[in-house]
Amino acid sequence: MSVEQLAEDYVGVWNETDPRRQATEVEKLWAPDGTEYLSDSVYRGHAELRKRVAGAYRKFVAEGGFSFVRSSAVAHHHDTIALTIDMVPKGGGDAAWRGIVFIELDSNGKIKRDYQFTT
């Protein structure tokens, strides 16, 4: 998978409406022992990551009326990528949240570590 495609799929999983497809995408993107780090929590492994993505979708997209969009080019250096993501109102308007995502990939090109920094 290209770095561009990985970035598109990463942003897409947070907007995915179908729970089965969402779960499949989590397993496609993250390594089985992949970990996501937020400032106040950590999610390890597919089971926790599926719950994390489903919860964020429910709270921010389904109930909150937002969508997640990539707002920067993808920076790629060896086995890491970085991109900026905005959470924007579905009807348009300024970003309600912006985060820098720093991703470390494993030897199979799956997410090993995923760090979100709120800006």
Side-chain angles (χ1 to χ4, degrees):
M1 176 184 322
S2 74
V3 171
E4 279 294 321
Q5 187 62 57
L6 187 139
E8 288 301 314
D9 291 351
Y10 180 88
V11 174
V13 75
W14 302 99
N15 295 309
E16 179 56 54
T17 59
D18 182 294
R20 286 185 185 177
R21 179 150 168 78
Q22 191 182 78
T24 298
E25 287 297 305
V26 165
E27 293 177 15
K28 180 177 107 177
L29 288 165
W30 278 272
D33 61 345
T35 305
E36 182 186 43
Y37 298 89
L38 305 179
S39 62
D40 61 352
S41 52
V42 176
Y43 301 89
R44 289 187 174 89
H46 285 163
E48 288 185 15
L49 289 164
R50 284 191 304 268
K51 287 179 186 176
R52 156 76 174 129
V53 171
Y57 170 80
R58 186 175 46 259
K59 180 176 179 180
F60 299 114
V61 179
E63 296 170 4
F66 293 99
S67 62
F68 292 95
V69 298
R70 193 171 92 188
S71 60
S72 74
V74 177
H76 177 236
H77 191 295
H78 290 86
D79 61 349
T80 61
I81 65 172
L83 64 145
T84 303
I85 297 174
D86 288 348
M87 183 177 75
V88 297
K90 288 182 184 176
D94 294 334
W97 174 86
R98 173 170 284 164
I100 297 170
V101 178
F102 181 82
I103 296 172
E104 182 182 356
L105 302 173
D106 70 7
S107 60
N108 296 313
K110 291 194 173 202
I111 299 170
K112 179 173 158 179
R113 292 184 187 95
D114 167 7
Y115 299 87
Q116 282 190 15
F117 299 88
T118 297
T119 60

